Each structure stands twice: as structure tokens, then as C-alpha cells.
Amino acid sequence: MAARRISSLLTRSLSASSSASASLLSSLGRNSSRNGSIKRLSTSTALEELIVPPVQIAYTQNLIDGKFVDAASGKTFPTYDPRTGEVIAHVAEGDAEDVNRAVAAARKAFDEGPWPKMTPYERSRILLRFADLVEKHSDELAALETWNNGKLHEQAAKAELPLLIRLFHYYAGWADKIHGLTVPADGNHHVQTLHEPIGVAGQIIPWNFPLLMFAWKVGPALACGNTIVLKTAEQTPLTALYVAKLFHEAGLPPGVLNVVSGFGPTAGAALASHMDVDKIAFTGSTDTGKVVLELAAKSNLKPVTLELGGKSPFIVCEDADIDHAVELAHFALFFNQGQCCCAGSRTFVHERVYDEFLEKAKARALRRVVGDPFKKGVEQGPQIDSEQFEKVLRYIRSGIESNATLECGGDRLGKKGYFIQPTVFSNVTDDMLIAKDEIFGPVQSILKFKDLDEVIRRANATRYGLAAGVFTKNIDTANTLTRALRAGTVWVNCFDVFDAAIPFGGYKMSGIGREKGIYSLHNYLQVKAVVTPLKNPAWL
Amino acid sequence: MAARRISSLLTRSLSASSSASASLLSSLGRNSSRNGSIKRLSTSTALEELIVPPVQIAYTQNLIDGKFVDAASGKTFPTYDPRTGEVIAHVAEGDAEDVNRAVAAARKAFDEGPWPKMTPYERSRILLRFADLVEKHSDELAALETWNNGKLHEQAAKAELPLLIRLFHYYAGWADKIHGLTVPADGNHHVQTLHEPIGVAGQIIPWNFPLLMFAWKVGPALACGNTIVLKTAEQTPLTALYVAKLFHEAGLPPGVLNVVSGFGPTAGAALASHMDVDKIAFTGSTDTGKVVLELAAKSNLKPVTLELGGKSPFIVCEDADIDHAVELAHFALFFNQGQCCCAGSRTFVHERVYDEFLEKAKARALRRVVGDPFKKGVEQGPQIDSEQFEKVLRYIRSGIESNATLECGGDRLGKKGYFIQPTVFSNVTDDMLIAKDEIFGPVQSILKFKDLDEVIRRANATRYGLAAGVFTKNIDTANTLTRALRAGTVWVNCFDVFDAAIPFGGYKMSGIGREKGIYSLHNYLQIAHRAQFVIMQWNGSHHPCRKSLPSDLLDCLKIVPAGLALC
């Protein structure tokens, strides 16, 4: 499979920067755009004639013990199309009782089997079969993801679904490679460690990448032999139910993966504080992450993995390739409507190139096509819901009030749905709210810096530490920044590279633990030391 | 250095079970006991003529930024000799303000250096020099440890000090072996991970093994390049101050290791909820562990390592070597006055060997010599303080009231200090408090079982999961139990083996994370990954900066569909 990389996929101007990605772009039939032949979309057109999603909503109940069931309370909640704010389905609303039932099913599947008692190879095969089924149903899944989330259909279809499939291939390969260690002893003992599944994993995923977050959470947990109760975000319950159904078709035994739709204070809190849940993983806001950790502390001390917010610096040094930096800074912020925890939301530009950068960044934002995410050529869809939409607009007002210079954008777009103009602020200073808080929207803040020590200090002066971008041609500058930046990911002359093997996670209040790669396995394994005496050992 | 192993050191009847330990026992001059020639001490004698500890208390102030200083408040608190309950020193009482100062010093030493900027080799050398200095001062340290804690002097001198030294040699060896990974990419990227120190580590240690817990915490944190604020237990502040002083003599820069004496609700809580502390590690009770995690959650989400309580099963199968099992079950529970988080505090014995086991276990407990821990031949000293002493006695009363059979012991010993008779209960059932709660004292509970499935279920039916002992000669039984027991350590035909390389930690509510061994490094490292865009020619040779890229890029930019003018 060709490398599928969000960054290269979505920054069309970079199609030549990576041969693997270039071939992917070709395979998407988008190379035609390089000749300017793509139809220019007017935003009004893009917003007025909405494409009808080519998919039915088949699954709206909770999936517990292998069966779709209504909520115990019988209640449902509406889920929306962010393009219009209109209801597209009513979904079973899980609460504490549904979580209890799901945990009981997961507990049974773990304690009595068959899941942890199957061979790792059998588990691996089921993950691979699941990946195949997802590939087969990619079209429906991508359409459903866009319909419920508002993200670009092309992004869902050509980047996120392939990344999900890639993730499950990756972790299928780990399932039969979970090695313990034999340990050198100081005397006549044989010492070994067993890396065992933890048990029932509770997982709470966000709405910005519903399927990808499903993959990051479910892949390693199942590969390690755990069973799962997954709570989806209330904004985007649909695709997880669909793929969970596919998982059972792939041969997953009942009770191994249970999916409950619902809200944080009810279903989420019940899961985080459940006494029979052995592990909780959460992706979402820092404030909610604190609540999750507190609930774990107050209940049974389940280990907690957190992937939380960020205010990631994107540092453009004076020797950077400016056009490249402009394009990737734009991408780092605006990708997925700015709804990324690792968004490059503080664009630090060296004073010697600041003016040129700003001019080009503004021009790029002005060129950004906002519209129906189902339409080809559209680069930005709506924000997820009215709450986020209002929040982003509040931050824009805050930026204006604090005397940042509004270079472009600054308002909503259209009258329906949650579209926001690509917005760029210049002359942003560190004390402004827009430079401190996570906005989670299409609002780029451009800051000026003078020298490396200063930008290191300022870049690190945040409670967050999720990611950073560094643009320079100088290897010393790159090495200095890479070590000095207190962030879980440093992208050097690139951004948002999300291969399965690359660990992702935060320093400081951006989270605890790492997902993806070999590091994610730690989250779902317990270490057991086994010690036995040796009689007359041949060696020590 | 000969293997020094607590278990073999202290179970005199097992001297033949391991040649390494046997030689160690010889070196201690204790093999004479195998011939019964050791002088039997009467308990009253042992308690009446207390040995004067051969050591002075030199350090009682907080150690902050390389200097011994009084508490900011000027306050002190008394610390005691558990043999008598008498005050032996007044120690600076650190609270939030002292923690603030210590964190500021640690922050500075981390953010500005020199600690994380030194080479790993230089850090390693300092750890090794420290280990040498501890070895040189072992006598004073062991005496001080026993004086302040009540543990056997021989145990402190011959097992715990050597284990501390061993731990620092072990982690000194790790300091220059903290490797990151290079990561296979799905495309044209060079990806690597850096395993970086987390920053300022807060560490809160308990009173049952003051020096060993210092080693488990400080060793890996320093090896990984972190700086530390350590809060000791209020019961046992003395030895950590002493060794921290030695660390500075060994060349540790000021601010790298700060030691604050004080209490949990003031100093401990301030550390756990500090916004400038990047990591917290705690060893202590499960209830306090929950508070520590909550404070971390409410403050800055610092990652938390917890080593908490236990109610570890010790399972004696019908095919076990009964004498061996009796001795180790006795040791597993009574070691260190029963004040071990991993104490084998539920002795499950197969019904076919139950009567024999019980008779021998009772006889062994009756033989246990309780007395002044400074005296040779004494096997059990006092409990740490009046609070623990009273708690243990309450659990003994609870056992009697719930109709367990009191086989021996059951009361205090002497009129002074916190000595308790070695106590054995039989006919204990799973629902009794003494079978459910962590007693942390010399009280053995013996339970009967019928078959493996039953004992697995019962052994796992606890909120704890720290350790387990399994005694059987059958490899299938051993393998079945090893996998089925939900515990961080399973000792098969042994117990309390604590080599530096063996990870230790709990399942369930016994904790989060592992200490010792390679696993402990995870607690003190952040994983940063760096992805770098690389351009390669497909003939395999590197093409550092393909000249055509900028023009390609510009070319591409030209054809980007221009958006609408939005403002």
C-alpha cells in the first residue's frame, strides 16, 4: 500500500514533496488540479447545493455483548449534520446502566474468555479480517463520517479510512509479538516477566476524528488481549457503531468490544469511575481529562492514558523555505477545520521573514475554499456543532478586542450550519487569549520572534506540550529546537505525519502516555514478574 | 559481591536452599544457628537491656539546593525510637513553603542545568561514587535506620544497605543506556524517538524501608536525568537526610536532590499538587495513593506512579515441600515486623496438608525471637509507632471476635515500645476483616483450600494485586497459578526476592506502574518523537536538499484552486 499521509494528502501544493504521496495524489485523480483544471467553487454555491450523502444510517443502538440494543432507559438523543445543524438520526442514549451492562459483558469475555484465551495469532487474524472488511465498506464509512462530522469527504475516504486500516494491520502484527523478558538475577533464581493484558479497558473517544480515534484506542487494546467498553463522543456516534458491527462480522467474539453512545457526565463518568474497569483511556479536552483522572483516583485507581489539548508552536526560522513553511503552517492550523489537538496554533515567525510570511499566509487563507465537505475541491467544511462554532467566534472577538490585527476572515460563512471563514491574526502577543487557549477552529495566530533562545522560551511557556513544528534548513537549529521543545512530537520541515509506528502524546497538561507505535502497547499491558529458584544452574 | 537476598538472609532454616545465600549466611557468622548453638534470648531480656545505638544524629534539617536549612516556619517535629517510644531528635518540619523552595531549586537545576546537561556518563559516575560513600558509611546508616525504624540491625546492615548500593550500581549502569528508537516510516520520513527526562520528580516514600525506598525512587529518577524533591515519611526522616548529604559529597550538583521532612497533608499534598512538579511517585497506603492521584488530577496532570497496599496470597499446594513452605510463609508474613506491602498475608494451604502446616507454622511463630532489634539473634523488633501498634492490636481483636482460631500470640509484648507477639490465626475465612484488610503487622492468617480453581478465584477476590507466593513441585500447577494470579509479582517456591533487575508493582488497587529493573525507567522518561521530512533518491543515495523542490512547490502553489475572497 502506498504511504497515505494526511499532511501530503491535504496540502495539495506539496504533491511533489514526497514521491510516495505524489503517487497517492495521482491515484486520487487529483493531479488534474495541478493543471488548474479543477472547477473553481464559489463558497455560496458550495454551501447552497448540498450533496445528499450516499449512505444509509443503519446502526443507532448500543452494541453490547455482540448485540445491538436500545438504551436501558429507552432514551435516544439526536445526532446532526454540521453542514445544516439538522438532525440525521436518533441514537440510543447510554448512561450508567448501559455502561454497567457493557462492562459486565466485557468482564465476562475477559475473565471467562474466549478473548484472552485465544492464541495471539487467532486475535491477529480477526484484526486483519476486520481491516479487510473496513476496506470493503470504505465508501459508506467515509460518507457517514463526513455526514456526521462535517470533515472533507476526500479526507475521510482517502486519508482517514486508509489510516484506520493501516493501524489495524500494524497492531495485528503486534498481537503475536508481545514479548516478556527474562531477567538477569543476582543469585540462583530464574526470573521472567510476563506482559499480560490488563483486563477490561474503558475508552472514551472524541468527535474530531471518530474513526481514527477508534483505531488508536481499539487496535492496541485488542492486540494485547483486552476487552473493551468504548464510549463515543455524543456528536459523532455513528461510524464507531458501523465498524464495531464489522468487527463482529470479522469474528470478534461477543462482549470483547462494546460500544455505548452517550454523554460525558453520564456514560463517560460511569465508565471512568467503574470499579470493574481495569484501565481507562481518554482523548479530549484537558479539563475533561482532569475529571477522568480524578474519577479513576476516586474509584479503583485504574491506570489512565490521556490525550488532551494543545497549543502547539509552529516555528519558522529565518532560513526556512518560506513557501513550504507558509503552506504547512496553513495546513497545520486549518486542517480538519482547525479541530486538531495538535494544531499548529501558534505560528512563530522570525522577524526577518515575518512580513513575507504574513503576506503569503494571508493570501493562502484567502484562497481556502470553504463549503460542502462532500464536494471536490472544497478545503474546509463546517465546525462540528453550535457550541464549538460559538466558542471559535468568541475567540475571534477576543483576538480583535485584544488588538491583534485581523488579516482576514473573522466571521461565520453562510447562514446555515457551522461554517467559519479562515481567519488569520497577526501581531499576536503571548499574553493574548488567542495565543494561550486552545481555540479548536480555523483561526491562525502569527507571532514574531527574534532569536532561538527567545522562541524556545516562549514556545515552552504553555501548560500544553503536545506537538511542535520546526522549519529550518540548518541542522544545528533543528537539533537545538528538537531537544529544547517540551512537546511529545517535533515535526521538522513537515507536520501532521501520523504513521502507525510513530508514538503520539503529550508533555505537561497535554496528556499522559503515548498512543500508536510500540509505546501504545504499554498502555494495555500489565507486567508480572515471576521468580523461581534454580537448583545447580549451569550459568547465571 | 555475593548475592544478598533478604529472603535467604533472614530465614535461617533455609540456609541450604541456595548456595549463594548459604555463603552469605556463613559470612554473617550465623550458620552456627544451624547447629542450634545460638544463644536463645528470652524476650524479657531482649526488651530490658536496650543497646545504645552506635551513631550520632547529625542531620535534621531539610536539604534544599544543596544546603541544610531550617523549615521556613521554624517548626520542628519529634522523631522516635520505636523500641521505647522516646524522642531521639527534633526534625525540621517542612510544609508547603519548604516544598515550594525545594521545587524551585529542583526546577532551576533541571531547566538551567547542570544536571540534564551533563553527559549520562558523568551522571553515572556520580551515582557510582555515591554508592561507594554509602558502603563506607554503612555502619552508621544501618544503626540509624534501626534506631529510627525498629527494624533488625542485621537486616539493615547486611541486606538493606547492600541492596541500596546494588540498586545504585544498577541504575548507574542504565544512565548511559537510555536509548530512543528509530522508527520505520510509511513514506519519505526519518522518524526517531527521544527518551527525555520528565523534569522535576516529586517522590514520597514510606517508613517501612526508608533507605530501600529512597533507592528505588532516587536511583532511576537520577539515572534518567531528572531532578528530585523527596518527601520522607514523618516516622523515619533521618537516614534519607544522611544519604542525601553523601550524594552531595559524591558530586551531585545543588538542587538536583532536595529532601523535605514532614507530614502528608502538608508537605506531601503540596508536592503532589504542585504545578511545577512534572511527575510524582508515591509508596504507601492505597487510601493515600488515591489522594495523591486526585491531587495530580486536580493540579497539572503530572504522571503518577503508585506502589500501594497488598493482601498477597501465599499458596501452599499439597505437593509442596512443607517445611520449606512453612518457613517461607512465616518469613513472607513476619519479615520486617509484618510491615511489608507485599507481605504474604493470606496463607492458603491445601486441605490435605493443612493440619501439618498449621502445627509447624504455629511452632515456628512460637520460636520467633522478639526483642531489641540491635541484638543478634533477635528476629522481630517493634512496630513503627503507636498508631500502627494500636491498629494491629485492633485487627487481632477483630480476628478473635470473628471466630478465627488464635493459635498463638495475640497481644503486646513488654510494657514499653511497640512490640507485638507473633500471632497466628487458623480457620480464617475470606469474609473476615483479617483476611481482607492489610494489617501491616505480625499476624498470620491461615486459610484452607480444596482445589486450584477455587484458590485462584479466592486469591484474586481482592482489590489488591501486588504479589503472590506459590509453593508446589509440579510445573503445571506452577504455570497455571503463575498466569492466573492477578499480581505484579509471583514468587514460585521463594518469596521476597528483590534483585535490582526484577520489576515490582501492583495490579488493581495495589498501584500503577513498576519500580526497579528496566521498567522503572519508563516512570522517569518522556517520549518525544521527531519526524523529519527526508527526500531520498530511489537509487538509495541521500539527496540532502533536492534543488527542484522549491520550483515544484511554487508550481504547485500556482495551481492550488484559489479560494473566494473571504474578507
Side-chain angles (χ1 to χ4, degrees), chain A residues 3 17 34 43 166 186 193 195-196 198 366-367 408 486 490 492 499 503 507 514 519 526-529 531, chain B residues 3 166 186 193 195-196 198 482 485-486 488 490 492 499 507 514 519 526-527 529 531 533 559 563-564 567:
Chain A
S17 70
R34 299 181 64 191
T43 296
R166 172 73 184 96
D186 287 343
T193 59
H195 294 189
E196 299 187 340
I198 285 192
L366 285 170
R367 280 203 307 277
C408 65
R486 303 205 39 80
V490 179
V492 180
D499 291 6
Y507 280 51
R514 293 293 177 272
Y519 299 94
Q526 276 281 20
V527 176
K528 178 186 280 178
V531 186
Chain B
R166 172 72 184 99
D186 287 342
T193 59
H195 293 193
E196 300 185 341
I198 286 191
T482 296
L485 292 170
R486 301 200 45 77
V490 179
V492 181
D499 291 5
Y507 281 50
R514 293 293 178 271
Y519 298 94
Q526 274 280 18
I527 311 303
H529 100 255
F533 185 61
I559 53 80
L564 292 173
C567 61

Side-chain angles (χ1 to χ4, degrees), chain B residues 78-110:
Chain B
T79 190
Y80 303 93
D81 178 345
R83 300 178 301 169
T84 59
E86 285 161 13
V87 175
I88 58 174
H90 292 273
V91 175
E93 182 180 338
D95 61 19
E97 176 54 26
D98 304 277
V99 167
N100 283 344
R101 294 177 187 181
V103 171
R107 191 80 260 165
K108 186 156 169 277
F110 186 81

Side-chain angles (χ1 to χ4, degrees), chain A residues 268-280:
Chain A
L271 193 56
S273 56
H274 205 291
M275 292 299 288
D276 281 336
V277 171
D278 300 308
K279 157 83 197 173
I280 190 106

Side-chain angles (χ1 to χ4, degrees), chain A residues 136 212 266 332 346 465 478 489 528:
Chain A
K136 202 173 133 193
L212 263 190
T266 49
R346 290 183 295 154
T489 299
K528 178 186 280 178

Side-chain angles (χ1 to χ4, degrees), chain A residues 427-459:
Chain A
N427 295 315
V428 177
T429 55
D430 297 355
D431 57 327
M432 294 179 187
L433 268 194
I434 57 169
K436 295 203 290 193
D437 289 7
E438 185 174 45
I439 299 176
F440 231 61
V443 182
Q444 186 175 31
S445 296
I446 303 182
L447 305 94
K448 195 185 285 188
F449 76 91
K450 238 191 209 11
D451 63 55
L452 271 195
D453 284 349
E454 173 208 337
V455 80
I456 288 168
R457 187 181 43 71
R458 291 171 63 194

Side-chain angles (χ1 to χ4, degrees), chain B residues 286-474:
Chain B
T286 293
D287 286 346
T288 309
K290 293 176 74 167
V291 174
V292 169
L293 187 55
E294 240 184 279
L295 292 175
K298 283 180 172 156
S299 54
N300 65 344
L301 290 171
K302 53 180 82 63
V304 178
T305 314
L306 299 174
E307 301 287 357
L308 308 175
K311 193 72 187 178
S312 298
F314 187 105
I315 300 174
V316 182
C317 299
E318 60 177 315
D319 66 343
D321 174 335
I322 296 299
D323 290 332
H324 185 195
V326 164
E327 187 57 39
L328 276 200
H330 176 85
F331 167 68
L333 187 282
F334 290 98
F335 173 58
N336 207 47
Q337 293 70 249
Q339 301 168 149
C340 299
C341 49
C342 58
S345 51
R346 290 184 293 154
T347 312
F348 287 101
V349 182
H350 191 275
E351 57 179 9
R352 288 219 189 82
V353 294
Y354 182 86
D355 292 339
E356 180 192 353
F357 183 96
L358 176 58
E359 187 192 330
K360 290 179 170 171
K362 176 183 171 179
R364 180 65 187 87
L366 285 170
R367 277 203 309 277
R368 189 168 187 81
V369 183
V370 184
D372 182 350
F374 277 102
K375 291 197 178 147
K376 285 219 169 196
V378 165
E379 295 177 284
Q380 181 178 318
Q383 308 307 117
I384 185 74
D385 63 12
S386 64
E387 191 184 326
Q388 289 292 321
F389 174 76
E390 295 296 344
K391 192 184 98 178
V392 173
L393 291 176
R394 272 201 306 281
Y395 273 114
I396 291 174
R397 283 194 295 276
S398 159
I400 294 169
E401 283 159 16
S402 58
N403 290 320
T405 307
L406 180 68
E407 296 284 347
C408 65
D411 208 344
R412 74 177 299 171
L413 203 64
K415 287 171 190 155
K416 227 177 162 186
Y418 311 120
F419 297 89
I420 293 181
Q421 297 169 353
T423 299
V424 176
F425 280 109
S426 64
N427 294 316
V428 178
T429 55
D430 297 354
D431 57 327
M432 294 177 187
L433 268 193
I434 57 169
K436 295 201 292 194
D437 289 7
E438 185 174 44
I439 299 175
F440 231 61
V443 183
Q444 185 175 32
S445 296
I446 303 183
L447 305 94
K448 194 185 285 189
F449 77 91
K450 234 191 213 8
D451 64 56
L452 271 196
D453 284 349
E454 173 209 335
V455 80
I456 289 169
R457 187 180 43 72
R458 292 171 62 194
N460 284 338
T462 166
R463 65 174 187 162
Y464 295 115
L466 194 53
V470 167
F471 280 72
T472 178
K473 287 176 188 147
N474 185 301

